[in-house]
Amino acid sequence: MFFAKSHLDLHNIRGSVERTVKLSDNIVGVGPVGIGLDGILAWFGGAGSLYSLGAGGVLLFDGVRARAAPMVLIQMTAVLLIDALLPLGPPGLGAVADTLFTGQKWAGGMLIKHMDDTIYFEGTRKEAQATAEYRDLLERIRSGKEKRRVVFLG
């Protein structure tokens, strides 16, 4: 099973994103400021970049599984590439920049917000069209009261 097929799958994807963000950028935190493996490993040569690429890959994989819009995936990729390249900067300065730049937290937040702004229907479009919930949603969209994205999981 690659793409999410149910709300339970989406719940599990969200949990994966939250774990990746916490491990990467907020193992130890005080208020909104935290440090995680990404910031710590930035001080050890290429280890920070390797970790950033791996954690970023997990977040992008989760985004694809959650059927995120292509533009959101592109924005996440840009943030994650910056985060992966920062430790390769001048010795010391690159590590400081990577420690302060919480790219996984930023990209994970983008994905979670996008998932929250999406209405997911289990089943196919045809199955959803037979429900009162879908007809009510369609009416809200047509009247301009609803602007969220609709995704069918079937």
Side-chain angles (χ1 to χ4, degrees), residues 38 45 63 66-67 76 79 100 109 111 115 124 130 139 141-142 152:
D38 186 42
R67 302 169 191 238
M76 288 174 61
V79 170
L100 297 175
L111 178 55
M115 289 175 68
T124 63
E139 183 57 38
I141 290 171
R142 287 181 179 150
F152 302 96

Side-chain angles (χ1 to χ4, degrees), residues 121 131-143 146:
F121 279 96
T131 66
E133 181 184 4
Y134 180 76
R135 288 190 297 273
D136 292 341
L137 173 64
L138 198 56
E139 183 57 38
R140 289 195 316 268
I141 290 171
R142 287 181 179 150
S143 68
E146 186 74 60

Side-chain angles (χ1 to χ4, degrees), residues 57-147:
V58 169
L59 290 172
L60 290 170
F61 179 74
D62 285 340
V64 170
R65 287 190 56 225
R67 302 169 191 238
M71 186 51 69
V72 172
L73 294 173
I74 290 169
Q75 291 170 341
M76 288 174 61
T77 300
V79 170
L80 293 167
L81 281 175
I82 292 169
D83 192 53
L85 295 175
L86 280 174
L88 300 177
L93 185 59
V96 169
D98 190 42
T99 302
L100 297 175
F101 184 76
T102 55
Q104 283 87 6
K105 188 174 185 180
W106 189 5
M110 273 188 235
L111 178 55
I112 288 175
K113 180 180 182 329
H114 183 62
M115 289 175 68
D116 288 346
D117 290 345
T118 301
I119 299 172
Y120 292 95
F121 279 96
E122 289 189 17
T124 63
R125 178 187 295 264
K126 188 173 185 177
E127 293 168 342
Q129 287 173 333
T131 66
E133 181 184 4
Y134 180 76
R135 288 190 297 273
D136 292 341
L137 173 64
L138 198 56
E139 183 57 38
R140 289 195 316 268
I141 290 171
R142 287 181 179 150
S143 68
K145 294 178 185 172
E146 186 74 60
K147 295 186 181 194

Side-chain angles (χ1 to χ4, degrees), residues 16-37:
S16 172
V17 170
E18 289 170 349
R19 282 188 302 276
T20 302
V21 166
K22 182 170 178 69
L23 186 63
S24 296
D25 292 324
N26 207 20
I27 290 177
V28 177
V30 177
V33 179
I35 188 168
L37 283 179

